[in-house]
């Protein structure tokens, strides 16, 4: 498939066929990651800049490792170490980056739309690694890829997304992608942590975890986005955990072999109990491995697209 996209800003840009092409490409790179020497010369001589204006461990490390395993040159730029702290605008930062002749820019930013803003001004490919509450397309792709590795397809599967839906770009991107791939998606969490427009989403919405988990094939727990909340939306952590921390008793109501996911970092005992996080059907560490393979696939597709234009 000739890759038609310059940038990855939102999973809504991708057709089902294109998402599945990412998965097929990811499987190839996953095989490379299983070799003793985990490096190929695919992007040798190409430059990838990681611009993370928000804190990140998993996503940034995953992209850095993905680029290095493809033999690309990588450079990291954080807000604290850039001219943004001196008052430089994002527009001026864009022009500066443009002058460096990048091949790809991976950006995480606290402002929704920041990735699109740069994509409209840069000739290189821009990959959104999370912008505000808006989107986290690479996380959604790696989550779906993880389930594809288990099931072969998510068509007809019922997947519950649990927790702080309102502040989660992961939830938004997963709803978009999983429904496009044919899954039935349920949401569950406190009413105060549901988006006001959720009634228009192609999902089932519930507020009782005991009921929402009944008959599901996978549960994706979300991290409480306390840093994005501007007011107290639930009494306290203990009260939240009492109603919405996923425990083994909940899994008894789900389908046999229910798969467990969490984008991390995990708050054990608050969002998910330790025995569930570490159970045999937990795919949390598989998600980490999938992240490197999927991001290798994305960097390959976006950086080499000009060669097939």
């Amino acid at each position: 498939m000739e890759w038609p996209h310059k940038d990855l800003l939102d999973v809504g840009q991708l057709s089902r066929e294109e998402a599945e092409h990412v998965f097929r490409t990811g499987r190839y790179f996953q095989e490379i990651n299983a070799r003793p020497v985990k490096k190929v010369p695919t992007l040798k001589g190409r430059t990838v800049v990681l611009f993370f204006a928000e804190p990140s461990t998993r996503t940034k490390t995953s992209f850095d490792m993905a680029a290095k395993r493809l033999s690309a040159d990588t450079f990291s730029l954080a807000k604290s170490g850039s001219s943004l702290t001196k008052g430089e605008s994002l527009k001026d930062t864009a022009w500066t980056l443009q002058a460096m002749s990048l091949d790809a820019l991976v950006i995480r930013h606290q402002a929704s739309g920041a990735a699109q803003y740069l994509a409209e001004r840069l000739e290189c490919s821009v990959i959104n690694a999370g912008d505000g509450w808006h989107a986290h397309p690479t996380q959604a792709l790696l989550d779906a890829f993880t389930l594809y590795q288990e099931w072969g397809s998510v068509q007809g599967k019922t997947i519950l997304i649990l927790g702080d839906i309102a502040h989660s770009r992961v939830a938004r991107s997963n709803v978009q992608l999983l429904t496009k791939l044919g899954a039935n998606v349920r949401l569950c969490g406190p009413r105060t942590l549901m988006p006001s427009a959720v009634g228009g989403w192609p999902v089932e919405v519930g507020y009782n975890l005991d009921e929402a988990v009944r008959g599901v094939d996978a549960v994706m727990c979300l991290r409480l986005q306390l840093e994005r909340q501007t007011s107290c939306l639930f009494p306290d952590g203990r009260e939240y955990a009492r109603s919405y921390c996923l425990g083994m008793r909940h899994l008894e109501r789900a389908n046999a072999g229910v798969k467990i996911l969490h984008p991390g970092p995990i708050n054990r005992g608050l969002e998910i109990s330790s025995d569930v996080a570490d159970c045999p059907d937990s795919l949390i560490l598989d998600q980490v491995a999938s992240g490197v393979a999927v991001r290798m696939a994305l960097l390959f597709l976006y950086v080499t697209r000009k060669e097939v234009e």
Side-chain angles (χ1 to χ4, degrees):
M1 174 186 285
E2 293 186 359
W3 197 248
H5 304 286
K6 169 184 171 288
D7 310 297
L8 177 60
L9 308 178
D10 196 317
V11 288
Q13 297 172 265
L14 305 180
S15 67
R16 177 170 180 161
E17 292 72 23
E18 288 166 346
E20 291 176 340
H21 181 65
V22 172
F23 300 157
R24 288 192 295 273
T25 308
R27 286 195 187 101
Y28 168 74
F29 286 118
Q30 195 169 52
E31 292 173 5
I32 289 174
N33 289 335
R35 299 175 184 174
V37 178
K38 303 172 178 62
K39 197 164 187 176
V40 291
T42 311
L43 297 185
K44 188 174 182 179
R46 304 301 188 95
T47 302
V48 177
V49 169
L50 310 178
F51 180 18
F52 278 68
E54 271 192 330
S56 172
T57 300
R58 286 166 178 76
T59 303
K60 185 177 181 181
T61 302
S62 179
F63 265 114
D64 191 33
M65 186 174 292
K68 283 183 167 63
R69 287 185 177 178
L70 292 169
S71 299
D73 296 317
T74 64
F75 300 90
S76 293
L77 177 64
K79 183 176 180 179
S80 60
S82 74
S83 294
L84 290 172
T85 59
K86 302 175 184 178
E88 181 176 81
S89 69
L90 191 59
K91 179 179 179 180
D92 287 328
T93 298
W95 296 137
T96 301
L97 293 170
Q98 179 78 13
M100 296 179 183
S101 301
L102 315 181
D103 293 292
L105 173 71
V106 179
I107 178 172
R108 168 168 289 187
H109 201 280
Q110 67 274 14
S112 298
Q116 181 174 346
Y117 181 88
L118 289 180
E120 292 170 351
R121 289 160 175 79
L122 296 177
E123 295 177 5
C124 71
S125 292
V126 174
I127 297 177
N128 184 4
D131 61 331
W133 299 2
H134 172 235
H136 197 343
T138 68
Q139 182 69 46
L141 285 163
L142 76 87
D143 291 339
F145 177 77
T146 303
L147 292 173
Y148 262 68
Q149 291 290 96
E150 287 293 311
W151 296 331
S153 171
V154 299
Q155 180 73 41
K157 298 291 187 179
T158 300
I159 300 170
L160 173 64
I161 302 178
L162 170 65
D164 183 358
I165 310 295
H167 302 94
S168 176
R169 55 197 175 202
V170 172
R172 285 171 171 77
S173 291
N174 266 292
V175 167
Q176 275 191 301
L177 183 59
L178 292 171
T179 54
K180 182 177 292 187
L181 295 172
N184 304 308
V185 178
R186 295 180 188 172
L187 304 180
C188 181
R191 292 181 185 274
T192 52
L193 295 180
M194 282 289 173
S196 58
V198 74
W201 293 16
V203 297
E204 300 175 44
V205 180
Y207 304 101
N208 184 301
L209 180 53
D210 289 330
E211 294 301 319
V213 77
R214 194 181 299 276
V216 302
D217 299 295
V219 182
M220 181 183 300
C221 298
L222 299 174
R223 184 176 67 85
L224 277 173
Q225 304 285 321
L226 299 176
E227 72 278 10
R228 295 198 177 98
Q229 297 180 22
T230 56
S231 59
C232 185
L233 298 176
F234 51 90
D236 55 37
R238 183 181 302 175
E239 184 64 26
Y240 177 89
R242 184 178 296 117
S243 298
Y244 296 105
C245 180
L246 186 70
M248 292 301 293
R249 69 180 183 86
H250 298 116
L251 302 191
E252 296 173 2
R253 297 171 177 264
N255 287 342
V258 58
K259 303 304 177 186
I260 309 301
L261 301 97
H262 193 301
I266 300 171
N267 291 307
R268 292 174 182 257
L270 180 61
E271 303 144 356
I272 185 171
S273 66
S274 285
D275 51 356
V276 172
D278 300 331
C279 76
D281 288 311
S282 171
L283 300 179
I284 295 172
L285 292 181
D286 298 77
Q287 288 173 272
V288 178
S290 294
V292 178
V294 167
R295 286 165 178 142
M296 288 176 75
L298 292 169
L299 288 171
F300 166 72
L301 291 170
Y302 282 89
V303 171
T304 64
R305 64 182 173 82
K306 292 182 180 178
E307 298 174 359
V308 296
E309 285 181 352

